[in-house]
Amino acid sequence: VRCVVCVCSIHSAGGGIATAAMDAIRRIVSEIIFMCRSRGVQVSDTLGAFMARAIVLENAELFPLDKELNESDVQELIRLATERLLDRDSPSLETVKMQVAFDSARVLETEAFARSRADKDASEGVLVGEICAARLRPPDDVEALTNLYRKIFNFLVVRAGIAPGSNRAAEREIAAALESVFPRIGLKAFTGLSGDDKAAQLVELANIVLGIRLFNRHIGKGGVAMSDRPGEAANMAYGLLAQVGKELAAAHTLCEQYSGVIAHKYRGGAARPVRLQEELTNRRQYVALLTQTDEGLKQAAEHIDQLTHMLLQEMEAVQDLVGARTSVPKEQVYPRFDTLAKLWLSFDEEIVLLEARKATLAALHQFRDSYTPTLSPADVVASH
């Protein structure tokens, strides 16, 4: 908002305007937050900034967009925004707070996904770095080769989500798959690769080992400590969908009741029911945000169903390829194991996103009953 940004003229002029403008905005928001906190009301930076902007837009005569605010204007803006934020039992204020909380939660969804990936990279990064930095002096250093192989094994254990030493049965599965895919004799050639090539091979190795364990789990001969991630993701998605669907139905019914009562009062010549209209606006906003959440959950559930179908198809393809044979050319089966692993890992990502959307829904739930409704059962009956 230009007039808010123009507060910078109070503090400086010339080349430092952009920086001063940001300082001025931060000052206004900080003072709004401080004034509210001193009255026992907690306000976020986002809500404080949103309300300052709303006050400016609603009061164009006080804060023209082409005017540079003076100190008196700034104090008036802070006062008006603070008064609005201190309103008690206000459906209109709760509508604003609901939108801000929802938008903030949606931003956190993206951040949660990025943070999950960063945490995983950090947990594996040290091991990958140690493996990629390994050098053999001399080339036939048996002890160094043994240590390197142990580090590769530990990397596979950590990447499988297992704390080293916590599940011996699962570690034996991983060790057997590692020896099958990447026997110790291949270490010398591995150490001669560049760091990037080593890192890429480690990821590919981890995927193939995971694919082998998934296939063994499918045929009932392994898969220790591997939970049903597709089932968990589907249960979470459809559980949230059922919950949101039930809430949407109730919210729609409530909006219809509000509309009926308001229309009835107008027909009866009563004074404009301002409070009821504010409550209806609030409930409609709640429905709109619930609907957005519902649509996102439906997309997630559909994607999970697609991933599950693709996983089962790929598993059947591997089973057809392997059959009753004791050996299969690795050029044929390893890419299949790699695909199995990538599909399986996609469910972990879906679960992270669903957890984030669950948090967004919890943020929205704060506004289910955030004001005292004045819609009476008697008015609802009379409106029919």
Side-chain angles (χ1 to χ4, degrees):
V1 179
R2 185 180 171 193
C3 70
V4 175
V5 173
C6 287
V7 175
C8 64
S9 62
I10 300 169
H11 306 287
S12 68
I17 285 180
T19 301
M22 293 307 299
D23 289 343
I25 293 169
R26 279 193 289 266
R27 176 206 161 189
I28 291 171
V29 173
S30 295
E31 290 201 29
I32 291 170
I33 292 171
F34 173 78
M35 295 296 291
C36 291
R37 187 178 298 138
S38 67
R39 300 284 294 275
V41 175
Q42 298 299 316
V43 172
S44 67
D45 289 354
T46 306
L47 179 57
F50 187 98
M51 187 56 70
R53 180 177 182 274
I55 293 296
V56 167
L57 294 176
E58 292 172 8
N59 297 274
E61 72 287 352
L62 292 177
F63 310 109
L65 296 183
D66 58 351
K67 175 188 176 185
E68 295 187 2
L69 301 185
N70 56 37
E71 182 62 22
S72 176
D73 295 330
V74 171
Q75 291 304 318
E76 181 66 5
L77 173 57
I78 292 170
R79 185 186 69 80
L80 291 173
T82 301
E83 286 182 355
R84 180 75 64 83
L85 288 166
L86 291 176
D87 278 353
R88 300 288 184 179
D89 195 28
S90 168
S92 59
L93 175 59
E94 293 303 312
T95 302
V96 172
K97 291 165 67 175
M98 181 184 355
Q99 183 66 60
V100 170
F102 184 81
D103 290 343
S104 297
R106 291 302 298 268
V107 171
L108 290 177
E109 284 186 16
T110 303
E111 292 177 355
F113 185 66
R115 186 166 57 252
S116 174
R117 284 194 168 182
D119 290 345
K120 184 176 181 181
D121 291 343
S123 67
E124 301 169 3
V126 174
L127 285 170
V128 172
E130 290 177 356
I131 293 168
C132 292
R135 296 289 185 273
L136 300 181
R137 298 184 181 86
D140 57 352
D141 186 339
V142 176
E143 183 178 354
L145 287 170
T146 300
N147 287 336
L148 177 59
Y149 204 70
R150 167 59 61 176
K151 288 178 179 177
I152 293 174
F153 168 74
N154 286 338
F155 164 73
L156 296 177
V157 171
V158 170
R159 190 172 174 86
I162 301 169
S166 65
N167 193 317
R168 296 300 182 188
E171 289 187 358
R172 284 193 293 272
E173 278 189 15
I174 293 171
L178 170 61
E179 189 64 42
S180 171
V181 177
F182 186 57
R184 295 169 190 260
I185 196 172
L187 282 174
K188 288 184 180 179
F190 176 80
T191 58
L193 298 174
S194 68
D196 288 344
D197 287 342
K198 286 178 183 176
Q201 283 213 3
L202 285 172
V203 172
E204 183 180 3
L205 172 63
N207 284 346
I208 294 171
V209 167
L210 174 57
I212 290 172
R213 295 184 66 217
L214 286 169
F215 179 70
N216 288 336
R217 175 180 181 273
H218 179 69
I219 62 176
K221 295 184 178 180
V224 175
M226 300 181 78
S227 61
D228 181 14
R229 302 304 272 171
E232 291 171 10
N235 288 339
M236 184 180 295
Y238 283 104
L240 288 171
L241 269 175
Q243 178 186 349
V244 172
K246 184 177 180 181
E247 290 181 25
L248 264 176
H252 276 301
T253 298
L254 185 58
C255 285
E256 290 172 0
Q257 290 174 344
Y258 268 109
S259 296
V261 169
I262 291 170
H264 177 71
K265 288 184 178 294
Y266 271 120
R267 286 195 300 269
R272 180 168 171 255
V274 176
R275 171 74 184 204
L276 284 175
Q277 288 178 327
E278 289 180 354
E279 291 178 19
L280 174 57
T281 298
N282 181 281
R283 292 301 83 191
R284 282 175 172 168
Q285 182 70 356
Y286 189 74
V287 166
L289 299 181
L290 265 183
T291 300
Q292 285 186 42
T293 304
D294 183 65
E295 290 170 353
L297 289 171
K298 284 177 179 176
Q299 291 176 356
E302 183 179 350
H303 189 220
I304 289 167
D305 287 344
Q306 291 172 346
L307 286 173
T308 302
H309 180 69
M310 292 166 65
L311 181 69
L312 291 174
Q313 277 190 322
E314 194 64 28
M315 195 70 77
E316 290 171 1
V318 173
Q319 194 155 12
D320 290 342
L321 181 62
V322 174
R325 287 179 285 183
T326 56
S327 65
V328 181
K330 64 181 183 181
E331 293 81 8
Q332 296 179 29
V333 74
Y334 282 3
R336 295 288 192 180
F337 287 142
D338 182 62
T339 300
L340 278 178
K342 289 175 179 176
L343 287 169
W344 184 266
L345 293 173
S346 295
F347 290 102
D348 287 339
E349 295 180 350
E350 290 300 316
I351 288 173
V352 169
L353 288 173
L354 285 170
E355 289 288 359
R357 284 179 178 153
K358 188 176 179 180
T360 298
L361 186 59
L364 188 55
H365 282 164
Q366 298 176 61
F367 300 93
R368 276 189 295 201
D369 303 296
S370 59
Y371 62 86
T372 304
T374 60
L375 183 70
S376 70
D379 282 341
V380 173
V381 172
S383 67
H384 285 87

